[in-house]
Structures are given as structure tokens and as C-alpha cells.
Amino acid sequence: MAEPYADALLAGVAAGMPAVGLEEVPELMSRVDCKYIVTASTMARLSAELGDGFLALRIGGRRQFRYTSTYFDTPGLLTYHQHRQDRRRRFKLRTRTYLDGGGQWLELKLSGARGGTDKHRIPYDGVPGHTLTSQALEFVQDTLLSELRLIAPDTLEPVLATDYKRVTLIDRSGTARLTCDTGLVFRDGRRSSPARGDLVLLESKSVDGKALIDKVLRGMGVRPVSVSKYCLAVAALRELPANRWHPVLRRYLVHRPGRRSGGGAPGRAGIVIGHGPRQMAADR
């Protein structure tokens, strides 16, 4: 039996759950993330296992939302290589636009010695998502110095963008959530690489990494994967060393684009990475 397409399945899962409004959901800016890649049929089994223990996030009548993010890095891809080398203190910088409501934010994700993730963000409405203002750079510099004791790089430029749809499920206890992403596309202004339509990227987010959802998934035989959307995108679009992510790349993406002859690396400064699926086929 062929797998149903995952985004349609997720829409049905969210529609069948009680809803909760954004204003009722506590923020989880400091948390432990566990990521999984599952088939649509496994997602259907998972939703049945969750029963009435979760609520579906609803904003403006919607329960499934379109996201687009632009990631920034140094010309030498410092943040990519720090993640690949599993540096204990590292960061990722992006703008995230909620295309179906929620505005635009500049987000700085920090990984520190405790093994968790801290997200810091500021509103970024009215600013082109592929640019960094002087206020944005000041925010990055101050946050890196105060939180990780790191000096911000001299140059940060747009590298690539991601588009996807998301359903967010909220644990009734309010201490955990599960984001379910489908239709993911990586793009850098020259090339794009889509994920398979029958797979769901799950991110379990909780204060201690021991959420109910993680126990349920383990009971179903699903194991977490070490992965980052940004790092997968860089590895796929630029053909850079990514041994630790090869199994995910082979399974998750429809194909890996081959090298283009001539010219420099795509996504470097001067290449505008537009927002949204109109420019390129494609959590709080």
C-alpha cells in the first residue's frame, strides 16, 4: 500500500484534535529537542497512540501553517562546521516568517554546555528576511557575548532558505510540544532540494528531554536522529562533508543535486534569497 502524502495526513490529524490558541501555550525558549523522521503511516499510528493527551495549535482558524526561514552564516560557513564538529558552544541565526500569521522574527538558537537549546528572538516585521539591520547585529553580538561568551563573527550573510508546512501538537500538561513538518524544500537562489512527500520530520521539545511523546516513539521502535535543517540543506546544496548526516540525506531527500560546473558556491552574499513558495517551488 502506498504511503499517503504526509501533509494531508497531518492536516487530518490536527483537525481531529481539540484546539488550543497561541495565547494559551507557554513558551519553551529553553528546552531539549529530540528529532525523528517517520513515515506517514507511522505518524497515523502515533496520533492514535497519543489519544486525547495532546491539543492542536490553532491560529486564526488554521491548524497547519506555512513557514519560511533564511539562515545566515559566515563566508566560510562557521556555524555549519561547528555543528558538524559537534562543538559544545555553537549557534544558528535565521529569520523566520510565519506566512499564515505570526509575523517575522530574527531568531538566534544557542547550544551550550548543558546540552539543551536556548532560543532568543526579536520581532523583525517590515525588514527583508535576507538582510540584517544594525539593530539585528547588535542583538546577535550582545546575546552571543552574554550567553556563550563568544565574539560574533565580523561577517554574516544569507546562505539559504527553507520552506515547509508545520502542525504543532501541545501536551496538555504544557511542558512539551511536538512539531510536525512536511513539504520541506531547501533553496539557495540557484538550486533547490525537496524532502520526500511521505515523510514527517518530528521535533519533540520539552524541558528535560523526557516527554511522553519520546516514550511513545521509543515504544513504537522509532529512534531519534541527530539532524539540523540548516546543516542538511548546506550538505545537500553545496555537497560538503556531512558523514554524520549521510543516512538522513539518503532517506529524507528526494535527491541530492549534483555539483554545477563553473562559478562559485551558491547562496553567497549578493544572491537574494526570496521568501516563500512563490519564489521557488516548494514555533514558536
Side-chain angles (χ1 to χ4, degrees), residues 159-161 186-192 237-238 266-267 271 273:
V159 173
L160 56 85
F186 306 137
R187 53 189 174 85
D188 65 7
R190 294 187 183 182
R191 297 183 291 179
S192 66
L237 296 173
R238 297 202 176 189
I271 297 177
I273 301 172

Side-chain angles (χ1 to χ4, degrees), residues 72 95 104 124-133 275:
F72 297 83
T95 56
Q104 180 172 266
Y124 216 55
D125 292 318
V127 180
H130 59 276
T131 62
L132 293 175
T133 65
H275 271 338

Side-chain angles (χ1 to χ4, degrees), residues 3-26:
E3 291 279 358
Y5 266 67
D7 57 351
L9 176 86
L10 260 297
V13 168
M17 288 187 172
V20 61
L22 187 62
E23 67 282 353
E24 303 173 66
V25 178

Side-chain angles (χ1 to χ4, degrees), residues 15 42 56 118 226 228 244 249 270 278:
T42 298
D118 293 330
S226 176
S228 149
R244 61 183 296 190
L249 286 165
R278 287 188 300 275

Side-chain angles (χ1 to χ4, degrees), residues 26 53 170-176:
I170 310 296
D171 190 308
R172 284 185 182 271
S173 69
T175 60

Side-chain angles (χ1 to χ4, degrees), residues 42-267:
T42 298
M43 185 68 219
R45 288 174 50 211
L46 175 62
S47 65
E49 290 281 346
L50 296 179
D52 60 358
F54 280 73
L55 308 170
L57 178 65
R58 180 176 61 193
I59 304 174
R62 292 178 177 267
R63 302 188 186 202
Q64 190 175 46
F65 313 98
R66 295 171 301 150
Y67 285 44
T68 187
S69 301
T70 296
Y71 288 85
F72 297 83
D73 209 334
T74 67
L77 300 178
L78 172 70
T79 72
Y80 171 78
H81 291 295
Q82 285 183 335
H83 197 119
R84 185 174 66 87
Q85 296 162 3
D86 202 23
R87 295 289 182 90
R88 297 184 70 183
R89 293 187 302 158
R90 61 180 187 264
F91 69 95
K92 285 199 293 286
L93 179 65
R94 70 188 178 204
T95 56
R96 170 166 286 179
T97 304
Y98 299 77
L99 297 174
D100 296 312
Q104 180 172 266
W105 300 80
L106 178 72
E107 299 184 340
L108 185 61
K109 294 184 70 173
L110 310 179
S111 296
R114 299 187 303 276
T117 299
D118 293 330
K119 185 165 73 173
H120 300 257
R121 67 179 190 172
I122 57 175
Y124 216 55
D125 292 318
V127 180
H130 59 276
T131 62
L132 293 175
T133 65
S134 57
Q135 292 83 359
L137 291 171
E138 184 177 349
F139 162 74
V140 172
Q141 292 164 357
D142 291 347
T143 305
L144 288 180
L145 189 59
S146 62
E147 298 295 326
L148 294 183
R149 297 183 180 178
L150 292 177
I151 303 298
D154 291 334
T155 302
L156 289 165
E157 58 189 26
V159 173
L160 56 85
T162 60
D163 303 312
Y164 54 95
K165 292 181 181 179
R166 169 169 289 184
V167 166
T168 299
L169 306 180
I170 310 296
D171 190 308
R172 284 185 182 271
S173 69
T175 60
R177 70 189 62 181
L178 179 70
T179 59
C180 314
D181 297 343
T182 55
L184 178 63
V185 174
F186 306 137
R187 53 189 174 85
D188 65 7
R190 294 187 183 182
R191 297 183 291 179
S192 66
S193 183
R196 283 171 46 184
D198 61 333
L199 296 179
V200 185
L201 175 60
L202 302 178
E203 295 186 39
S204 170
K205 305 174 183 184
S206 61
V207 294
D208 58 4
K210 300 177 182 179
L212 170 64
I213 190 69
D214 298 298
K215 297 176 183 177
V216 172
L217 285 165
R218 282 198 299 272
M220 295 172 61
V222 179
R223 296 293 179 261
V225 295
S226 176
V227 73
S228 149
K229 288 190 186 75
Y230 173 63
C231 292
L232 281 183
V234 170
L237 296 173
R238 297 202 176 189
E239 297 287 308
L240 290 180
N243 291 343
R244 61 183 296 190
W245 299 308
H246 277 165
V248 176
L249 286 165
R250 286 195 300 267
R251 180 187 179 204
Y252 189 41
L253 299 187
V254 173
H255 66 277
R256 292 187 65 180
R259 289 186 182 274
R260 296 177 64 95
S261 61

